[in-house]
C-alpha cells in the first residue's frame, strides 16, 4: 500500500550546536511537527517544510530537571508536555500571533533577472507565527517511563508501578490513578479468578485506542497486556488486565484503531499482532511479522519502534541494529531498507547502516515519515551468538563501530500510496496508479493503451505493448497536480479514476480537480470561492460522464453528495446535490446504483439517472436506507462497503428450485451488501420473498484478516461467483 519514492530529506535544526534529537511527534491534524532534542523543542510546519519556532532550555534547567526525554501534544495543539529524565514534566503554551499574517514573507530581489515569473515559485500557504512559552512544571513521583493522551488528560506510567492521570493544568486526577499491584490480570474476560502482579513491575511502553476501549502496556520483564475497563472514565475499580500470551520478550507496542489490532515488537527482531477474541474477550495472535531471509539473513536486533499510518493500512517497524520496514495490516512486508543499495559510500551495509531510527511519526495522510536518526547503532549483534551475516572469525579483533553517514539528524522519508487505502471504490479498476502528496504515478502501459486515437502526435509516438511482462509496463508517468490547486489544497486525500483510465480526479483540503489523460490538461474551479466552500470527506468516484463526491458544505453546515458533469466547466451552478443525514465516510457503486455509508452507521442506496431533457444534469433517487450499526462497534471500523450480485450457494440453489429467472436475480434491487468490518468480510444478502417483498438476511462472515476486496464492475450471468 505504501512505497518509498525517493531518498530522505534532512531537516537541519535551526540552532548553533544543536542537541541530539530524541523524539518527533505530529499534532492531531498532522500539520505541525514537534522535534525534541535533549535540551530544546523545535516546531516545524509540514508544507512548506520550514521551522516555526525553537525553544532551548537553560543549563540550570537541565541540571535541575534533567534532559528532555518524551513529548506529547494536547489534542487542540494549544499545549505541549515534555517529560525529562529527572522525573519532571514541563508544560508549554502555544499561541498563534494574530498581528502577523504569515511568518515567512516572500520578497523578490531588486535584480530583474532573479525575479520569479512562475506560479510554482509562490506558495499560498500562510505559515502561522507561534508564541512558545513555558507554562509550569510538575514533579512526577517515581519518574516517567511513557506518556500518552486520553481525551483531555495525560496518562503517565512511572517506574514505581503506577499509571497516573494528570489534567493539562498540572492537577493530578487521583481518583483515577492506577496501581499495577491492584489490577487483576487473567488470560481472558471469562475467567472468574484473576490474579494481580506478584513481583514488583512497571510499564515501559503504553498505547491507547478509543476504538479498542483500552490500553496496551509493556512491562519491564517483557510481558504485555491489554488494560480494559467497564467505564469510559477508566475507573480503577473496574480495570482488568488481559495477558498477551505466548511471548515474554516484548519491547514496544502500537494500536490499530480501524482494524482493532495490537502490535508488539520483540527482542528477536520479530513482531506479533493480537486481536480480541469476540467470544472470550481474550487476546489471540492474529499474525506475526517475520523478516524474510531473502531480505536480510540475520537478526537486525530488537524491535524498538512501531507506528501505524494515519489510515491504519500499514505499519512501520524499526530495529535497534539499523533499518526499517513497512508491513501491510495483516503482515505482508512491502519494503525493507536493509536490502537497499545506498551507493558507493556504504561498503558494509551491516556496520554502516544508514538508518538508525530512534523515533518516528507519520505526517499528513501518511505521505511522509518523519524519523529521528542516530549516528550509532543500539545493537551490533555481539549479544546474539547466531548473528548473521558476516560472523566474525576466531581471533578477529573487534573493529570500531563506524558512524552512519546520515548522522544525528531528523529525516523526512517521502512515500506514495495506493488509492485503495482511502478510497475502496477504486478496487473494481483494472488500471494501476499511485497517489502522492502533490502528484500521481500512472502505469504507462495501462494509461497509453486506453488513450483515445484523438491524442496529439507526440502522444501517439508512445508504443503501447499489450504484453504485461514487457519493460514498458514497468514505466510510470508522473502527473503533477497544478500549483494553483495544490498550493492551497495540500495534501491530496482522495483520488479516483474512471473505468477506462481516461480521467482522474483528486481532492485535497478543499474542493477537487480532474485531469484528462488524452488532452493532458487539468480542469479546476473557475471561482476559487466555490472550491473552498466544501470539503470532500467520503471519497469520490466516476459514473459515466459525471463525478460523484461525498462532501461537507462549509457554508450551509450540512453533509451532501454532489454530482458534477465532466464536460461542463467546474461550477456549483452545474452541479446537483443530495443532502444526507450525517458525514459521508464511504462511496461505492454498482452499475446505476450508488451506496453511501455515513457516520451514523446508516447505508443509503440511490438510483443514479440523468434528466431526459438535459443530459448534463444527473440526479439521485433514494431507494432504501439500512441501519448497519449492529455490524460494527464504531463507524470508523468499516473499511469498505460494496454492492454485488454475489450470493451464497444455498440461496442460488433455492432460487433455481423456485425457477426464478437469472435476469430478475441480477437486478440492482436484489444486490447484496458486502462490508469489510475491521478485517472481517461480511455478506448481507437481499432476497425476494414469496410476496415479492425484499428483505435482508442475517449477515454471513465470508473471510477474516481481509485488507482489500476486488469485485467485478458488472455481473456475469455465466459465472455467478
Amino acid at each position: 500500500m505504501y512505497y518509498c519514492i525517493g531518498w530522505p530529506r534532512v531537516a537541519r535544526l535551526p540552532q548553533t550546536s544543536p542537541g541530539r534529537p530524541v523524539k518527533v511527534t505530529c499534532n492531531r491534524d498532522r500539520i505541525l511537527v514537534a522535534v525534541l532534542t535533549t535540551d530544546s523543542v523545535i516546531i516545524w510546519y509540514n508544507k512548506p517544510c520550514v521551522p516555526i519556532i525553537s525553544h532551548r532550555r537553560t543549563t540550570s534547567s537541565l541540571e535541575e530537571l534533567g534532559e528532555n526525554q518524551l513529548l506529547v501534544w494536547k489534542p487542540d495543539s494549544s499545549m505541549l508536555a515534555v517529560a525529562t529524565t529527572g522525573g519532571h514534566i514541563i508544560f508549554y503554551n502555544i499561541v498563534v500571533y494574530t498581528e502577523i499574517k504569515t511568518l515567512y514573507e516572500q520578497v523578490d530581489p531588486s535584480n530583474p533577472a532573479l525575479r520569479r515569473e512562475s506560479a510554482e515559485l509562490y506558495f499560498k500557504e500562510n505559515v502561522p507565527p507561534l508564541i512558545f512559552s513555558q507554562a509550569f512544571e510538575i514533579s512526577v513521583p517515581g519518574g516517567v517511563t511513557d506518556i500518552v493522551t486520553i481525551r483531555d488528560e495525560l496518562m503517565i506510567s512511572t517506574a514505581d508501578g503506577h499509571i497516573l492521570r494528570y489534567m493539562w493544568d498540572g492537577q493530578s486526577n487521583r481518583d483515577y490513578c492506577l496501581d499495577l499491584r491492584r489490577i487483576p490480570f487473567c488470560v481472558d474476560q471469562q475467567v472468574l479468578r484473576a490474579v494481580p502482579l506478584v513481583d514488583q513491575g512497571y510499564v515501559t511502553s503504553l498505547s491507547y485506542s478509543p476504538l479498542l476501549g483500552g490500553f496496551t502496556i509493556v512491562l519491564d520483564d517483557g510481558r504485555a497486556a491489554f488494560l480494559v475497563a467497564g467505564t469510559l472514565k477508566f475507573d480503577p475499580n473496574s480495570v482488568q488486565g488481559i495477558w498477551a500470551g505466548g511471548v515474554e520478550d516484548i519491547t514496544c507496542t502500537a494500536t490499530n484503531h480501524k482494524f482493532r489490532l495490537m502490535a508488539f515488537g520483540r527482542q528477536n527482531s520479530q513482531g506479533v499482532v493480537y486481536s480480541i477474541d469476540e467470544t472470550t474477550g481474550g487476546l489471540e495472535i492474529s499474525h506475526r511479522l517475520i523478516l524474510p531471509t531473502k531480505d536480510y539473513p540475520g537478526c537486525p536486533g530488537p524491535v524498538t519502534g512501531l507506528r501505524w499510518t494515519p489510515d491504519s493500512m500499514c505499519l512501520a517497524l524499526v530495529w535497534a541494529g539499523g533499518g526499517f520496514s513497512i508491513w501491510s495490516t495483516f503482515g505482508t512486508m512491502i519494503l525493507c531498507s536493509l536490502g537497499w543499495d545506498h551507493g558507493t559510500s556504504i561498503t558494509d551495509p551491516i556496520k554502516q547502516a544508514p538508518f538508525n531510527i530512534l523515533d518516528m511519526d507519520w505526517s499528513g495522510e501518511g505521505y511522509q515519515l518523519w524519523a529521528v536518526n542516530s549516528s550509532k547503532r543500539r545493537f551490533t549483534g555481539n549479544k546474539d551468538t547466531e548473528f548473521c551475516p558476516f560472523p566474525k572469525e576466531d581471533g578477529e579483533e573487534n573493529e570500531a563501530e563506524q558512524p552512519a553517514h546520515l548522522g544525528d539528524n531528523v529525516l523526512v522519508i517521502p512515500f506514495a500510496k495506493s488509492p485503495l487505502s482511502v478510497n475502496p471504490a477504486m478496487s473494481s479498476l483494472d488500471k494501476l496508479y499511485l497517489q502522492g502528496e502533490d502528484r500521481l504515478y500512472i502505469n504507462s502501459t495501462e494509461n497509453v493503451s486506453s488513450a483515445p486515437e484523438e491524442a496529439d502526435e507526440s502522444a501517439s509516438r508512445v508504443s503501447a505493448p499489450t504484453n504485461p511482462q514487457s519493460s514498458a509496463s514497468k514505466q510510470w508517468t508522473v502527473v503533477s497536480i497544478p500549483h494553483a490547486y495544490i498550493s492551497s489544497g495540500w495534501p491530496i486525500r482522495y483520488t479516483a479514476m474512471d473505468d477506462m483510465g481516461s480521467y482522474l480526479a483528486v481532492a485535497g483540503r478543499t474542493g477537487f480537480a480532474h485531469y484528462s489523460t488524452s488532452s493532458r490538461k487539468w480542469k479546476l474551479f473557475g471561482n476559487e470561492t466555490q472550491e473552498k466552500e466544501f470539503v470532500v470527506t467520503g471519497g469520490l468516484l466516476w459514473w459515466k460522464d459525471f463525478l460523484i463526491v461525498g462532501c461537507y458544505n462549509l457554508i450551509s453546515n450540512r453533509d451532501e453528495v454532489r454530482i458534477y458533469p465532466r464536460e461542463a466547466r467546474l461550477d456549483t451552478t452545474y452541479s446537483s446535490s443530495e443532502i444526507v443525514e450525517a458525514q459521508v465516510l464511504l462511496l461505492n457503486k454498482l452499475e446505476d446504483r450508488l451506496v453511501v455509508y455515513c457516520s451514523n452507521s446508516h447505508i443509503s442506496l440511490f438510483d443514479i439517472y440523468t434528466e431526459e431533457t438535459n443530459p448534463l444534469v444527473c440526479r439521485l433517487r433514494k431507494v432504501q436506507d439500512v441501519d448497519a450499526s449492529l455490524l460494527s462497534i464504531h463507524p470508523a471500523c468499516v473499511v469498505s462497503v460494496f454492492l454485488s450480485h454475489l450470493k451464497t450457494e444455498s440461496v442460488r440453489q433455492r432460487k433455481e428450485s423456485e425457477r426464478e429467472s437469472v435476469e430478475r436475480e441480477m437486478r440492482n434491487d436484489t444486490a447484496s451488501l458486502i462490508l469489510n468490518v475491521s478485517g472481517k468480510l461480511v455478506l448481507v444478502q437481499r432476497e425476494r420473498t414469496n410476496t415479492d417483498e425484499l428483505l435482508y438476511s442475517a449477515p454471513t462472515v465470508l473471510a477474516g484478516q481481509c485488507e482489500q476486496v476486488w469485485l467485478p464492475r458488472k455481473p456475469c450471468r455465466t459465472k455467478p461467483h
Side-chain angles (χ1 to χ4, degrees), residues 500-516:
M500 300 300 297
S502 301
Y503 292 89
L504 292 108
V506 298
R509 191 179 305 174
T510 58
F512 67 88
H514 61 81
Y515 173 78
S516 171

Side-chain angles (χ1 to χ4, degrees), residues 31 62 99 158 177 281 346 362 398 438 459 475 536 675 704:
I31 294 179
L62 292 172
E99 295 185 6
T158 63
C177 294
I346 305 298
W362 295 94
N398 293 331
D438 58 357
Q475 300 293 326
V536 178
L675 295 89

Side-chain angles (χ1 to χ4, degrees), residues 12 264 301 319 349 394 403 484 539 599 658:
R12 299 194 180 277
F264 296 96
W319 295 282
D394 295 338
S599 60
E658 297 172 357

Side-chain angles (χ1 to χ4, degrees), residues 34-50:
V35 176
L36 184 71
T37 68
T38 54
D39 61 354
S40 61
V41 180
I42 306 169
I43 298 181
W44 290 70
Y45 200 72
N46 209 335
K47 186 72 172 183
C49 187
V50 292

Side-chain angles (χ1 to χ4, degrees), residues 362-538:
W362 295 94
S363 67
E365 302 300 320
Y367 291 120
Q368 296 171 342
L369 180 63
W370 285 67
V372 173
N373 198 68
S374 175
S375 59
K376 297 181 179 179
R377 292 188 295 164
R378 291 171 288 175
F379 178 83
T380 60
N382 297 330
K383 298 179 182 179
D384 189 350
T385 57
E386 298 179 357
F387 180 71
C388 189
F390 313 129
K392 295 182 179 180
E393 300 292 340
D394 295 338
E396 183 181 356
E397 296 183 0
N398 293 331
E399 299 180 2
E401 185 74 13
Q402 302 181 22
H405 72 281
L406 292 177
D408 295 318
N409 288 306
V410 178
L411 307 179
V412 183
I413 307 173
F415 280 83
K417 64 180 181 179
S418 167
L420 293 176
S421 61
V422 288
N423 193 9
M426 294 299 99
S427 63
S428 61
L429 287 179
D430 54 1
K431 314 298 178 185
L432 179 62
Y433 77 99
L434 300 174
Q435 63 184 61
E437 59 178 339
D438 58 357
R439 63 198 64 193
L440 301 174
Y441 300 85
I442 308 174
N443 185 272
S444 299
T445 301
E446 299 287 353
N447 181 37
V448 174
S449 62
S450 59
E453 297 180 357
E454 297 83 42
D456 55 20
E457 183 179 355
S458 60
S460 64
R461 295 195 191 103
V462 182
S463 61
T466 57
N467 182 9
Q469 302 298 328
S470 64
S471 59
S473 65
K474 298 176 179 61
Q475 300 293 326
W476 294 83
T477 300
V478 180
V479 179
S480 298
I481 299 171
H483 182 265
Y485 179 74
I486 200 63
S487 59
S488 59
W490 180 92
I492 294 302
R493 294 176 175 173
Y494 302 97
T495 63
M497 178 184 283
D498 68 340
D499 295 339
M500 300 300 297
S502 301
Y503 292 89
L504 292 108
V506 298
R509 191 179 305 174
T510 58
F512 67 88
H514 61 81
Y515 173 78
S516 171
T517 58
S518 59
S519 64
R520 301 180 182 179
K521 292 182 179 180
W522 285 90
K523 184 175 289 188
L524 281 71
F525 276 87
N527 189 344
E528 191 173 349
T529 304
Q530 294 183 357
E531 179 186 289
K532 296 183 179 302
E533 71 178 11
F534 69 96
V535 178
V536 178
T537 61

Side-chain angles (χ1 to χ4, degrees), residues 45-297:
Y45 200 72
N46 209 335
K47 186 72 172 183
C49 187
V50 292
I52 297 179
I53 198 168
S54 172
H55 175 81
R56 201 166 200 170
R57 294 170 54 196
T58 62
T59 305
S60 60
S61 175
L62 292 172
E63 294 175 354
E64 179 184 357
L65 306 179
E67 294 183 346
N68 295 335
Q69 182 182 15
L70 301 169
L71 177 143
V72 66
W73 285 87
K74 191 177 181 180
D76 61 359
S77 303
S78 63
M79 294 187 73
L80 278 174
V82 176
T84 66
T85 55
H88 293 77
I89 295 181
I90 306 174
F91 291 85
Y92 295 94
N93 285 324
I94 302 176
V95 180
V96 179
Y97 189 55
T98 57
E99 295 185 6
I100 301 178
K101 184 178 180 181
T102 180
L103 186 62
Y104 290 87
E105 183 179 359
Q106 295 175 301
V107 179
D108 284 328
S110 57
N111 188 349
L114 300 177
R115 292 181 179 177
R116 296 166 294 176
E117 296 180 356
S118 175
E120 283 75 8
L121 300 177
Y122 295 83
F123 60 85
K124 299 181 181 179
E125 192 73 25
N126 293 326
V127 180
L130 301 178
I131 299 177
F132 194 88
S133 61
Q134 180 175 335
F136 52 88
E137 59 89 13
I138 60 174
S139 176
V140 179
V144 180
T145 59
D146 204 356
I147 180 173
V148 296
T149 57
I150 170 174
R151 292 182 287 275
D152 291 330
E153 290 182 283
L154 292 171
M155 296 284 283
I156 304 171
S157 60
T158 63
D160 60 357
H162 290 82
I163 300 178
L164 307 179
R165 296 272 287 267
Y166 278 87
M167 311 294 287
W168 279 94
D169 58 2
Q171 299 296 321
S172 175
N173 193 353
R174 299 182 182 274
D175 294 337
Y176 292 94
C177 294
L178 303 177
D179 186 350
L180 288 181
R181 293 169 296 184
R182 298 185 177 182
I183 298 177
F185 286 85
C186 57
V187 295
D188 57 51
Q189 299 185 32
Q190 288 186 340
V191 177
L192 299 178
R193 183 175 177 270
V195 180
L197 293 178
V198 178
D199 301 328
Q200 178 69 28
Y202 62 91
V203 175
T204 60
S205 176
L206 73 160
S207 177
Y208 173 68
S209 172
L211 298 187
L212 282 170
F215 292 85
T216 55
I217 63 172
V218 178
L219 301 180
D220 60 321
D221 59 1
R223 290 183 294 175
F226 177 59
L227 298 184
V228 64
T231 61
L232 294 177
K233 293 184 178 181
F234 249 75
D235 187 353
N237 297 323
S238 64
V239 175
Q240 181 181 359
I242 304 172
W243 290 115
V247 289
E248 293 184 353
D249 59 347
I250 301 297
T251 57
C252 55
T253 180
T255 53
N256 186 314
H257 312 295
K258 184 180 290 291
F259 289 89
R260 306 184 75 241
L261 298 173
M262 312 169 200
F264 296 96
R266 301 182 61 185
Q267 289 281 353
N268 62 356
S269 77
Q270 298 180 8
V272 58
V273 182
Y274 286 83
S275 61
I276 300 178
D277 189 338
E278 297 181 356
T279 305
T280 64
L283 301 186
E284 58 180 1
I285 296 179
S286 171
H287 56 279
R288 301 179 186 271
L289 309 177
I290 302 176
L291 180 63
T293 55
K294 64 180 180 63
D295 293 284
Y296 186 80

